[in-house]
Amino acid sequence: QVQLVESGGGLVQAGGSLRLSCAASRRTFSSYGMGWFRQAPGKEREFVAAISGSGDTTYYADSMKGRFTISRDNAKNTVYLQMNSLRLEDTAVYYCATRSSTWGSSSPSRYDYWGQGTQVTVSS
């Protein structure tokens, strides 16, 4: 069974930064794409960013481009999400996910395993 554990969430002022981490128990971690999603109260789960198994290819939602950076350290079985210039509307629970493909995807349905989520709250 694959386990994903997110960390790094918290309360930050608008304009600030946070780095989220997601540690995976998955064997041959580098073979699998990873993604970050978020869900705000009363809203659907939203794609944030994804990365291929090698880390060579990344994907971003348009509203995150230039502010968020996804990366991974395959030696540590960990994927990261660096979030800069945070806005009030970035407040949400952030989830990482992994899929049985080397490629990332923007579609939540293409992911097989999910973490429990970490809360990010941006204040004014």
Side-chain angles (χ1 to χ4, degrees):
Q1 186 72 8
V2 176
Q3 289 189 326
L4 302 174
V5 180
E6 301 99 333
S7 60
L11 176 64
V12 63
Q13 286 192 325
S17 298
L18 280 176
R19 188 175 83 154
L20 306 182
S21 299
C22 173
S25 65
R26 194 162 206 177
R27 296 178 63 184
T28 60
F29 177 73
S30 63
S31 297
Y32 303 106
M34 300 290 295
W36 284 98
F37 295 79
R38 69 185 186 185
Q39 189 165 19
K43 294 188 177 181
E44 292 187 354
R45 193 161 294 190
E46 175 186 25
F47 170 69
V48 174
I51 189 167
S52 62
S54 67
D56 291 343
T57 304
T58 57
Y59 319 76
Y60 295 94
D62 287 343
S63 62
M64 284 63 157
K65 287 180 181 177
R67 298 193 300 126
F68 291 8
T69 302
I70 188 170
S71 62
R72 64 191 296 160
D73 185 338
N74 286 338
K76 295 182 178 179
N77 278 27
T78 301
V79 64
Y80 304 98
L81 184 68
Q82 177 67 44
M83 305 186 295
N84 299 327
S85 302
L86 283 163
R87 305 167 180 168
L88 297 178
E89 55 264 37
D90 293 320
T91 295
V93 177
Y94 284 71
Y95 299 89
C96 72
T98 183
R99 60 188 300 241
S100 297
S101 166
T102 191
W103 302 108
S105 173
S106 62
S107 173
S109 64
R110 294 185 180 271
Y111 288 83
D112 306 298
Y113 301 97
W114 293 81
Q116 82 289 349
T118 185
Q119 176 71 47
V120 171
T121 303
V122 183
S123 65
S124 59

